[in-house]
Amino acid sequence: MRLRGLPHAPAGLFSLALTFLLAISVLPGGAVAKKSKPDISKNVFENRVTEPFYFEDSDNLLILEQTARIVYRSEDAGKTWEPIEDDTKGRVHALVRHPYDNKKAYALSSAHQHWYTNDQGKTWKEFKTAAVPSPWRQPLSFHAGDSNKIIFQAQACQGLFDCDEVSLYTTDGFETEAKLLRSGTRGCDFACSSDLFTTGSEELDKSRILCITRGRFSPYRRDFTLLVSDDYFEHEAEPNLIPGRTVKGLVNMAVVKRYIVVAVKAEATDEMALYVTVDTMTWHRAEFSSDHRVEEDAYTLLESTAYSMQLDVQNTRPSVGMGILFTSNSNGTYFQPNIEHTNRDISGLIDFEKVAGVQGIVMVNTVKNWKDVERTNSFDKELVTQISFDDGRTFHNLKAGKKDLHLHSVTNLHNIGRVFSSPAPGIMMGVGNTGDHIKAYDKGDLYVSDDAGLTWTKALDDAHKYEFGDQGSVLLAINDEGPTDKILYSINHGKDWEQADLGEKIIPLYLTTTPDSTSLKFTLVAYKEDKKSTGDFVFAIDFEGLHERKCGDKDFEIWHARVDDKGEPACIMGQKQSYRRRKADADCFIDEDFKDPEPKFEPCTCTDADYECDYNFVLSDGECKPAGSQVVPDGECKNRDDKFMGSSGYQLIAGNGCSKKGGVEKDKPVERPCSDVWISPASGKIFAKVNEFDLERFEGYFYLERTASSRDDDETVILRADNRDGRAGKVFKSHDHGKSWESILDDEKVVAIYPHSYFNDVVFFITDSKTVYYSLDRAKRIHKFKAPLEPNTQFLPILSFHPTEKDWLIWTGNDGCDGKGNDCHATAYVSEDRGESWKVLLRYVRKCEFVTEPSKGTPEVPESKEAREKRKKLVYCEQYEDEDPKKPLELFGSDNFFEESSKPFFKDIVDFATMSEFIIVAAKDSEKKSLKVEASVDGNTFANALFPPNFEVPHQSAYTVLDSSTHSVFLHVTTNALEDYEYGSIIKSNSNGTSYVMSLEAVNRNAMGYVDFEKMQGLEGVAIVNKVHNPEEAKAGKEKKLKTMVTHNDGGEWDYIKPPSEDADGKGWGCSGSLDSCSLNLHGYTERKDPRDTYSSPSAVGLMMGVGNVGEVLGPYKEGDTFVTSDGGINWNAVKKGHFLWEYGDQGSIIVIVEESTGDKPSPTNVIFFSRDEGKSWEEFRFSDQLMFVEEITTVPSDVSRNFLLWARLEKDPEHLVTVNLDFSGLTDRQCELNEESPTEGDYYLWEPKHPAQKENCLFGHVAQYHRKRAESECFNGPEIERLHSIAHNCECTRQDFECDYNFQAQNDRSCGLVPGLDPSDHSKICKEDPNAVEYFEPTGYRRIPLTTCEGGTELEYRKAQPCPDHEEEFRKEHRGLSGFTFFLAVVLPFVAAAGVGYWVWRNWDGKFGRIRLGEQGGIGTFDAESPWIKYPVTAVAVIVAVVIAIPDTLGRLWRSVTGRFGSGGERRYTTRSSFARGRGDYAVVDEDEGELLGDDSDEEV
């Protein structure tokens, strides 16, 4: 079988048969042939049919007329046909044959009624299912040992968009209605789906099932999981795929022979991990020798054996199509390469065939001119055919005489079934040519081999379809190069050929026979090349009677699969293999229908040829030598001086049957010293490594973090720095988190570094020329391409990336900027092949970006491939009107890369931003006196945003899109734009981003547009802001006084922060009373020296740190102290006097702080403090004898590492730059134990967040339980764990589960009151928008917070129910309330169509709405507060959009201080607010969209 490296493709039900046209009628036909010719019967079908469906070991066939949905059956090998049961007519969409019971088959409809047969189609019975067959995957999975056990993959829909995949099952072959197995599945299989697989337990073999399912708390693919059940999911368990940990991101599963393989892919990479088991109990990650890796859409699991798997891994661009063939060891965990440059096509098919019936023979096509093809697409591939007689270990050229022969294979298939071989022993056929490489198919001839591929002879001129019969006694062929009226056949292994007349000139479609090739009967499906003819012919060809007798013993020979030069039997795979087969010239037929030929084996004595290099050994100078770490048996090497019995470097080739007795025994273990593999136990100490740099300054750093599915253990950091000679662009890399550094690209001036926004492994190095360097493997190997233009110097993004297509790039470069004219402008190009070729998008642009819009398909009518490709190519561009930079910007969109002209979406825009769920466009209104906001959930339909009715801002000059990760947009609207005194209001939208309510007024922002707003990472709905405490005074030009507030219900309510009881020295605060006069205040986004130092971490749930003070308002930063909270911001503790930098490690089990060097008199230090108990206590560690000015502390973006990096300058020589690696892995080498079934018994406890105003541990209407490491446990977290353990239960609704409805606002007592002069919104609209609605509720002033799941209690959104018109009677009978979500739609969705699409996508898609970024891409991690990268917010979380009359003039003023440097495009563009804030090139999405800024701080008229 072939399993491509994809999620189960949405072929499902309809991929089981080819799509043809119209209905059939069977006409009598065919003629009786002479005795010397085969009998040929002809049936004419009025319309197209599918390929024949054979029941094994019988003459019974089924065929499906696809258009009329009618199934026909033949009992005589296709001579006559009759339709099956009347009830099925017009309803069958697919036929499925039972793979383990030749009596059974299934006719499936697209609805709930289906049919099965237990007698090879003679009779049919109807069965019904509660859900329809899934369109996304194969509908039936079978148990190999019990043919009555079947899993039905289905889809259950509640309306057009609300669909869920489910799995049903039967244990009686659908005699009774199938039962629900589990909902939320993405494919299920019995463990024993293969007759070779066993769990090792007879009981488990009967019922064990594995399913890929949705995550417990997430519908996104990144959280798909593997579940196992032995009682049809009454109970279920999640297996540990790696020691002590479950794994998320399951994308595929396959049962292959005696192996089960699952594929896993983490976010932000296309690298996949394959996990293998031979018993479902123990899993191992498949390891590949050297540095090969498996990528999504780039692996194909090939036809395998009972003793090994074979896998082809793509190692080129998909458009090139080449790979490496690997073979596994016997337990499927270690893969060794066999041959490189295998030919593959774009769909993942490989030119590979394992020859049937003969052990160890494999045929492949490889690319001869692979170097040319890899370099450019202008070369056609030159394919050559190679054959292996030892299961792929060594390969040889195919020979026809003395010439090399090359045959067309799987990627150019012209028939059904195997390409070259059949169960007929040693007989093979193929179409090809001799010469240097394969020519076109119609230039090929038919070749035959009767010695299993060792030698070939030309049989017929021209290309032919062919088939084998009577165990190879009959070879049948038909010309495949045009219309023909003859068939050709040979009864002496292809030496001589005769012909028979068909009576019609036809073009063949399929030529086939029984699956075991033992029959004398064949079936030919063909059509006539005649415009008047729309149907197919089905010919039955019968060779019975061609010979008068049946073969006897004298007609057979013992055929040896391989012989030596003397004609003696030779060994293949350690044994001599032979068959009893008919002599080529015998005038008889075997005529033993359905009796398969049986091989005989005789073991050979083992020789050197029967061995191969063991895993992590490579052949060098004729010997297998170590090339990697060796496997140490459990319990060995307890001491360094011990010895262990390890691999000799050799292993017997998997499946080799040689006898070691009296032969070579090269795999006998040898004694090896433990010192070769010794890993020192944990020392209990912290390691520090100092590196000094003779550089002027660190310009920026980027973490290229490996993902959970990455195979390596590196922690890669890229550093860009300036030399002392003033020359920028010095680049270093470290793969060990800064312990050692290596200079790269020394001869190039690198002006910008662009880590890929969506793939962690990919990074681009922009030079000051057209040459661009890049790496696909975290800077291990560097490649380059030529850009179409030099990078732009207009401070625009240089590179933009596609969210799903790694090789798709948009390049914005300088055009006409050579100084010879006045027409310097930016032109955008697009490449679909990673810079190999480019097409112009638009000229005179400000930016162009890919936009990923949601699918327009529905579960009933899936999206077409053409529509999907168009959607994938959607690009938005900002272009100056009439290509004149003096005119306003217009927003254009195209789904064909602007091959066709299009009209602008908007004229006179300011900028646009795409959040994870919304696209926001800021444009000037018609009178150009203010900004207006347009929002869309699908990229096509936009709606004007409705601001709160009492929210009047005469000149809306700036917006900041703060967040949209909780199904609503937080938007900051500047209400006071007075320079240095700016502030504004935070408003919150409904679920489609169009209707807003007030959340909080007078929230602080700075002159660059940054807002003191930060969401807590990892915990929904918690956010911290700084509010201007004296807004009226600030409006008059007086200094702003800030006060910190926190929300625990997603902006529904805001409170001041309760201060700690005492300071870090155990003293009081000097203030008391209410929180109005004495609260904790924290310095926020606008004041940070490095905006990447956020309060929280995505993997340290509930932990936050900050610098601030206790008092009425926020004091100066230099007078601040450091604080920590471990309960989501409810209670805080004072950590240290003074302001410290902080970082989280090992998912929050380690917190490191270091004194920050800031101000005119910075304090040097050589110590850090660390906590291993969530900040309750702190230990000191001296990292150097030299004092340093520490400017930053960093670690990997996910905070899962136990390594940290200090960036500093030496006190004795402040011009001398230093990095210090801090390695905490020496503290312990024991990984924490986590048992999801008993989560509190191991090294973890369960923590429950809460809202401070609620008695229970409720937050958003439920009690959530998160895993946290126990402080007393001496262990480390290791691989990232799923923090959320469970939702214990839903809570009763309280005020905290609601926010004010549209036209209402919060009062002083926190109730929601109607805005004076306004009317409540009209909730009766639900009746018009939903014809099935029975009732609606009168407005109460409250609406549910989208995140809440509360039930009962104080349900503030419900008041009095009213009947919808024409539904009064139903209303009286039912008196039921609408669901909270339906009511929510009724209240806040003025654009129902857009919201419907958005909701369906949110439920069913993988969460990757187009992440369109505002403004500048590039990014750096800078430490210089005066650097223009900090001084001007180009690489910020989002970009301020100038809303002034003359935008170019404003941009000119903004960037005057960086003239001569590359602009925003010159450095890293952070993809999210948190990624910029964390400062690590965090393109791995945590919250997809935090902090896009729209607007400018200008106070000019607009």
Side-chain angles (χ1 to χ4, degrees), residues 600-639:
K600 292 184 178 180
F601 296 99
E602 179 185 345
C604 303
T605 301
C606 292
T607 66
D608 288 346
D610 295 308
Y611 293 89
E612 63 184 353
C613 291
D614 202 352
Y615 177 74
N616 270 339
F617 288 81
V618 296
L619 191 66
S620 176
D621 299 326
E623 294 183 3
C624 292
K625 297 180 179 179
S629 60
Q630 299 175 48
V631 178
V632 180
D634 291 339
E636 300 291 336
C637 288
K638 294 181 179 179
N639 299 300

Side-chain angles (χ1 to χ4, degrees), residues 912-1116:
F912 70 94
T914 301
M915 318 302 284
S916 63
E917 300 166 7
F918 308 93
I919 298 175
I920 308 294
V921 177
K924 299 175 185 178
D925 65 16
S926 56
E927 297 180 357
K928 296 190 178 181
K929 291 186 177 180
S930 186
L931 286 181
K932 63 178 180 179
V933 172
E934 301 272 347
S936 173
V937 295
D938 64 2
N940 286 312
T941 305
F942 284 86
N944 187 32
L946 301 176
F947 284 179
N950 61 333
F951 183 64
E952 296 292 338
V953 184
H955 302 298
Q956 293 173 24
S957 59
Y959 303 136
T960 304
V961 187
L962 299 171
D963 177 78
S964 74
S965 60
T966 54
H967 315 308
S968 56
V969 176
F970 279 89
L971 188 67
H972 181 278
V973 182
T974 299
T975 56
N976 180 44
L978 184 63
E979 189 171 358
D980 294 329
Y981 304 94
E982 298 89 352
Y983 60 81
S985 296
I986 293 178
I987 57 178
K988 183 184 177 185
S989 81
N990 59 355
S991 65
N992 68 352
T994 59
S995 174
Y996 290 79
V997 296
M998 181 65 68
S999 179
L1000 187 65
E1001 297 177 315
V1003 177
N1004 184 53
R1005 59 153 279 196
N1006 63 10
M1008 296 180 291
Y1010 300 134
V1011 178
D1012 276 344
F1013 172 96
E1014 186 174 321
K1015 279 212 165 184
M1016 185 175 190
Q1017 300 179 68
L1019 194 61
E1020 291 180 327
V1022 179
I1024 290 178
V1025 302
N1026 278 335
K1027 181 177 180 178
V1028 176
H1029 200 49
N1030 58 335
E1032 293 303 320
E1033 291 180 349
K1035 189 178 292 186
K1038 293 187 178 181
E1039 181 181 0
K1040 290 185 289 187
K1041 296 179 181 179
L1042 306 181
K1043 196 169 181 67
T1044 302
M1045 303 190 78
V1046 64
T1047 178
H1048 292 272
N1049 63 349
D1050 210 34
E1053 296 177 299
W1054 296 87
D1055 296 287
Y1056 299 127
I1057 300 178
K1058 184 178 70 174
S1061 58
E1062 57 187 26
D1063 67 10
D1065 295 333
K1067 300 178 181 179
W1069 295 109
C1071 72
S1072 60
S1074 68
L1075 295 180
D1076 288 335
S1077 58
C1078 189
S1079 64
L1080 175 62
N1081 302 292
L1082 300 173
H1083 293 273
Y1085 225 80
T1086 61
E1087 294 184 85
R1088 290 177 188 157
K1089 176 182 177 183
D1090 189 336
R1092 298 169 292 183
D1093 298 326
T1094 55
Y1095 298 128
S1096 60
S1097 163
S1099 64
V1101 178
L1103 297 179
M1104 286 193 286
M1105 293 198 71
V1107 172
N1109 61 277
V1110 172
E1112 182 180 6
V1113 295
L1114 186 63

Side-chain angles (χ1 to χ4, degrees), residues 626-831:
S629 60
Q630 299 175 48
V631 178
V632 180
D634 291 339
E636 300 291 336
C637 288
K638 294 181 179 179
N639 299 300
R640 181 183 179 87
D641 296 331
D642 291 348
K643 294 183 179 181
F644 71 98
M645 298 303 292
S647 171
S648 65
Y650 295 88
Q651 64 179 4
L652 195 67
I653 295 172
N656 191 292
C658 73
S659 173
K660 296 180 183 178
K661 187 176 180 179
V664 176
E665 193 173 354
K666 299 185 73 171
D667 60 348
K668 189 175 182 178
V670 299
E671 190 174 72
R672 295 185 179 275
C674 289
S675 58
D676 289 352
V677 296
W678 184 255
I679 300 176
S680 299
S683 63
K685 298 179 181 180
I686 302 169
F687 173 82
K689 179 65 168 65
V690 178
N691 284 287
E692 299 183 11
F693 296 85
D694 187 21
L695 299 168
E696 182 177 352
R697 69 173 181 176
F698 296 133
E699 189 68 32
Y701 63 87
F702 314 88
Y703 279 87
L704 306 180
E705 185 177 9
R706 70 184 190 280
T707 67
S709 58
S710 301
R711 58 173 295 201
D712 298 321
D713 59 359
D714 62 290
E715 294 183 358
T716 300
V717 190
I718 303 295
L719 166 64
R720 178 173 172 259
D722 286 348
N723 285 325
R724 294 194 182 280
D725 59 8
R727 185 170 60 88
K730 186 72 172 175
V731 180
F732 298 83
K733 70 174 182 179
S734 172
H735 293 300
D736 54 12
H737 210 134
K739 291 185 177 74
S740 61
W741 294 91
E742 177 188 350
S743 176
I744 60 174
L745 303 175
D746 291 335
D747 297 330
E748 297 290 342
K749 182 180 180 181
V750 176
V751 297
I753 299 176
Y754 275 70
H756 199 293
S757 302
Y758 306 101
F759 293 90
N760 288 19
D761 305 326
V762 184
V763 61
F764 295 82
F765 303 92
I766 312 299
T767 70
D768 57 354
S769 67
K770 294 181 182 180
T771 302
V772 178
Y773 293 88
Y774 69 91
S775 173
L776 304 176
D777 54 9
R778 301 191 294 280
K780 294 183 178 71
R781 290 181 291 260
I782 306 293
H783 316 274
K784 66 180 179 179
F785 63 76
K786 287 288 186 181
L789 298 169
E790 292 182 358
N792 76 81
T793 53
Q794 303 171 49
F795 319 112
L796 305 176
I798 299 172
L799 269 178
S800 296
F801 304 103
H802 195 283
T804 60
E805 297 296 323
K806 182 173 68 176
D807 295 332
W808 290 20
L809 307 171
I810 293 177
W811 177 273
T812 305
N814 271 346
D815 203 349
C817 302
D818 52 8
K820 298 179 180 179
N822 297 318
D823 191 27
C824 179
H825 60 274
T827 297
Y829 287 76
V830 66
S831 172

Side-chain angles (χ1 to χ4, degrees), residues 566-584:
K566 298 179 181 179
E568 296 296 320
C571 297
I572 300 179
M573 294 294 289
Q575 48 197 351
K576 298 172 184 177
Q577 184 180 2
S578 61
Y579 283 91
R580 178 176 177 267
R581 79 176 185 184
R582 172 187 169 274
K583 295 177 181 177

Side-chain angles (χ1 to χ4, degrees), residues 118-373:
N118 291 332
D119 55 11
Q120 297 191 338
K122 187 174 182 179
T123 61
W124 295 80
K125 292 184 180 180
E126 181 183 276
F127 70 94
K128 294 184 178 181
T129 55
V132 301
S134 171
W136 312 113
R137 60 199 81 255
Q138 300 292 344
L140 298 180
S141 299
F142 302 91
H143 193 288
D146 186 341
S147 63
N148 286 323
K149 291 181 177 178
I150 304 170
I151 297 173
F152 188 93
Q153 314 289 359
Q155 180 168 261
C157 295
Q158 305 293 326
L160 183 60
F161 293 107
D162 189 7
C163 290
D164 188 21
E165 284 193 75
V166 300
S167 293
L168 312 175
Y169 76 98
T170 178
T171 58
D172 58 12
F174 297 112
E175 288 286 343
T176 58
E177 186 170 348
K179 302 174 184 177
L180 176 66
L181 180 66
R182 198 186 192 282
S183 61
T185 57
R186 297 299 182 269
C188 295
D189 282 303
F190 290 101
C192 292
S193 293
S194 162
D195 53 1
L196 295 178
F197 188 90
T198 177
T199 63
S201 164
E202 288 187 13
E203 288 303 312
L204 294 182
D205 283 351
K206 293 177 183 178
S207 58
R208 175 152 288 193
I209 295 174
L210 299 91
C211 290
I212 295 177
T213 71
R214 271 199 325 254
R216 287 181 296 168
F217 313 110
S218 164
Y220 302 134
R221 193 177 77 166
R222 63 175 179 261
D223 296 310
F224 285 6
T225 189
L226 179 67
L227 295 178
V228 177
S229 177
D230 300 321
D231 54 10
Y232 300 101
F233 283 89
E234 289 187 17
H235 303 88
E236 62 187 30
E238 188 175 358
N240 289 337
L241 300 188
I242 58 178
R245 293 290 183 269
T246 59
V247 173
K248 307 300 178 188
L250 276 289
V251 297
N252 210 343
M253 174 173 61
V255 183
V256 185
K257 304 291 186 180
R258 51 184 291 263
Y259 310 96
I260 296 179
V261 185
V262 295
V264 175
K265 191 189 83 69
E267 274 199 307
T269 184
D270 57 0
E271 183 175 0
M272 304 194 77
L274 300 182
Y275 293 92
V276 182
T277 182
V278 293
D279 58 10
T280 71
M281 317 289 183
T282 304
W283 294 79
H284 298 280
R285 177 166 180 163
E287 298 289 344
F288 292 81
S289 61
S290 303
D291 56 355
H292 298 292
R293 71 180 205 165
V294 179
E295 294 185 355
E296 186 178 23
D297 302 343
Y299 73 94
T300 303
L301 190 56
L302 301 165
E303 181 183 14
S304 299
T305 67
Y307 47 79
S308 68
M309 287 187 291
Q310 289 185 299
L311 183 79
D312 190 89
V313 177
Q314 180 175 291
N315 64 344
T316 62
R317 297 187 308 275
S319 60
V320 172
M322 291 188 289
I324 302 176
L325 178 66
F326 288 87
T327 298
S328 77
N329 62 350
S330 59
N331 68 2
T333 56
Y334 299 128
F335 284 79
Q336 296 275 21
N338 297 136
I339 189 169
E340 293 188 274
H341 319 305
T342 52
N343 183 53
R344 55 189 295 139
D345 66 14
I346 194 71
S347 62
L349 293 177
I350 314 298
D351 279 345
F352 170 95
E353 180 169 322
K354 189 176 291 292
V355 173
V358 185
Q359 190 177 24
I361 302 182
V362 174
M363 290 178 61
V364 298
N365 281 346
T366 60
V367 181
K368 180 181 178 182
N369 60 334
W370 60 271
K371 288 184 179 180
D372 294 330
V373 174

